[in-house]
Amino acid sequence: MSKIDTRLNVSPVPPDEIFALNGAYAVDPHPQKVSLGVGVYRTDDGKPWPLPVVQKAEKELVVDDDLFRHEYTAIEGDVPFLGIARDLMFGFEGKQGEEEAKARIGSVQTVAGTGANHLGALPPTVWLSNPSWANHQTIWELAGVPRKTYPYYHAATRSFDFEGMMSSLESEAQEGDVVLLHACAHNPTGLDPNKEQWVAIADLCERKKLFPFFDSAYQGFASGSVEEDAWAVRYFFNNKPDMEMCVAQSFSKNFGLYGQRVGAFHYCTNRASTTLRDVVVNNLCHLIRGEFSMGPRVGCSIVKKVLTNEELTADWHQDLQVMSSRIKTMRKALYNELVRLQTPGTWEHIIQQNGMFSYTGLTPKQVYALKDKYHIYLLKSGRASISGLSQKNVAYVAQAIDDVIRNEN
C-alpha cells in the first residue's frame, strides 16, 4: 500500500479579522475589557439577547411537535417561508397589481445572508462600495468575479461620498455590471443614502443598464421599522420595473438568529420577462444542490411561526424597537461623553450614522492603543460595534478614546 502524500498545494491566508479579534477578547482576563468588534446585539449588561418573541415561537414549535421538523425541505427551501420572506422584503399587502409583481420574483432559501450573497456572486464585474463588509470581497473573489470599487466614505468629513460614488459609476461602470448596495445600515460606515440620493442611484442604474444587487442584513434592526429599512429595495422594484435586480436577505440580526443561518435570495426579473422566473429558480436550485442541497429548517420555522401570527408579529416589532432604540441611545451616550471631555476632533458623525456600526475615524495606531492599554477591541479600520457599549462602560470607552488621541497628538 503506497504512502498517502499529505502535501497540499496551498498557501496560508490571513485569519478573519473579526473572528480573530473576538477570540482575543474571549481569552483576555482584564475586568474592564470591552468588545466593539463582532456585529451581534448585546443587552446593557453585555449579554446575548434571545428575542422574547423567538423564545415564544420556540415554545410553540415544541408544542406543535411536528413530525416533519427534521425532514428535508425542497431544494429551493421551505416554500411557505420563502413567500413570507419575500413579502416582508418587498411589502406586499394586498396592493393593486400584487400578483403581477410577485410573478417577477424568484426566491430560494439560503444559508443566511452570506449564503445569499455567495449564490448571487456571478460574473460579470461587480462594484463594491469602498469600504464595504469585508466578506463581500472574499465572497466575490472566491467566485472568480472581477471586482471594482466605488467611493463611499469621505474621510475628511466622515460622511457619505455621494458625489464620488455617482461620478465613478457614471464614468467607469459598463452595461451589465453588478452594483452591490447595502439596503440600510451600511457596514462598516453606518452611512446610508437619503431617499433623494437613492432615487438618483436608481436612475443611474436604469440609464446605464447596471444590475443592482441589494444586501439586506438589517431590515427592522436599523430604524426599528421594517418598512423604512426596506425603502430603497421597494423603490427600485416598484419604480424601475424594466430593470432586473436581486436581494440577499438575512434574518440573523433582526431575529437574533445568528447561528441558525436563516436567509433568502430573491431574483427580480423585469416586467416583460416574468416567464423567465421559473428558469432562474431552476438554475439557482442547480447551484444549491451542488453546494448545500437545501437551507436549514429550524431557523426558518421560527421566522415562519412569528410572521404568520399577528400577536407574535406585533411582539417582534416591539423587540425591533428595543434593539434599535438601545443602539441609538448608546450612540448618543458616546457622543455626549466625547463632547464633555472635549476630545479633539469632531464627533457628530457618531449620531448621524445608522445601525449597528460606527466608522469612528480612529486610526489603526489609535485602535491598537485602545486594545493594548485599555483592552477595548475594535477593527483596525476604526469600525466599532455600538452594541458593545453600555451604560456601565461608555464613559470608560470615551475616556480611553480621549486619552489615545491626546497622547498621539
Side-chain angles (χ1 to χ4, degrees), residues 140-378:
W140 292 81
E141 177 187 5
L142 292 176
V145 177
R147 300 170 312 285
K148 296 184 178 180
T149 61
Y150 57 85
Y152 195 87
Y153 179 70
H154 193 272
T157 59
R158 299 177 183 178
S159 62
F160 169 44
D161 188 3
F162 174 66
E163 289 75 17
M165 172 184 179
M166 296 295 283
S167 175
S168 180
L169 292 176
E170 182 69 61
S171 63
E172 299 180 46
Q174 303 297 311
E175 180 177 336
D177 283 359
V178 174
V179 181
L180 198 143
L181 303 164
H182 299 228
C184 65
H186 183 273
N187 178 4
T189 69
L191 296 166
D192 294 329
N194 60 37
K195 290 179 180 178
E196 182 179 350
Q197 291 168 335
W198 274 124
V199 170
I201 295 168
D203 289 343
L204 184 147
C205 288
E206 181 180 47
R207 177 168 46 79
K208 289 186 67 67
K209 297 182 180 180
L210 307 178
F211 185 92
F213 188 130
F214 278 99
D215 189 353
S216 178
Y218 298 94
Q219 186 185 5
F221 184 98
S223 70
S225 165
V226 296
E227 289 77 19
E228 184 67 20
D229 292 344
W231 189 91
V233 171
R234 295 178 184 181
Y235 178 84
F236 275 62
F237 179 78
N238 293 319
N239 292 275
K240 305 296 181 184
D242 296 319
M243 183 169 63
E244 294 187 352
M245 58 180 281
C246 66
V247 183
Q249 181 183 22
S250 171
F251 292 87
S252 295
K253 304 295 193 299
N254 56 11
F255 272 81
L257 296 172
Y258 304 100
Q260 295 291 357
R261 316 312 293 147
V262 188
F265 178 79
H266 308 283
Y267 191 102
C268 307
T269 68
N270 63 57
R271 60 182 168 184
S273 303
T274 55
T275 56
L276 293 177
R277 182 192 66 174
D278 292 344
V279 177
V280 170
V281 172
N282 173 263
N283 277 266
L284 291 170
C285 286
H286 180 66
L287 295 172
I288 289 170
R289 181 61 172 147
E291 290 190 6
F292 56 92
S293 280
M294 62 204 63
R297 181 185 280 272
V298 175
C300 76
S301 297
I302 293 171
V303 172
K304 188 168 58 175
K305 173 66 74 172
V306 171
L307 295 182
T308 55
N309 180 294
E310 288 187 6
E311 181 179 341
L312 292 179
T313 300
D315 288 345
W316 178 57
H317 285 287
Q318 183 57 44
D319 289 347
L320 290 174
Q321 285 290 332
V322 170
M323 292 189 289
S324 62
S325 295
R326 199 185 91 73
I327 296 292
K328 293 172 186 175
T329 296
M330 296 322 302
R331 283 188 181 277
K332 184 65 174 175
L334 178 60
Y335 168 76
N336 287 343
E337 281 294 315
L338 292 169
V339 170
R340 182 184 67 81
L341 293 167
Q342 298 184 339
T343 303
T346 177
W347 302 101
E348 287 80 6
H349 59 283
I350 291 175
I351 53 176
Q352 293 168 351
Q353 294 164 353
N354 182 40
M356 180 172 283
F357 301 112
S358 172
Y359 227 43
T360 59
L362 295 170
T363 66
K365 181 179 179 181
Q366 292 165 346
V367 168
Y368 292 136
L370 286 173
K371 176 177 175 290
D372 293 342
K373 185 175 180 180
Y374 290 99
H375 302 264
I376 297 172
Y377 292 76
L378 63 159

Side-chain angles (χ1 to χ4, degrees), residues 35-36 40-43 326-327 356 385-390:
S35 175
L36 303 179
V40 294
Y41 182 79
R42 291 291 183 258
T43 66
R326 199 185 91 73
I327 296 292
M356 180 172 283
S385 176
I386 298 297
S387 182
L389 295 174
S390 70

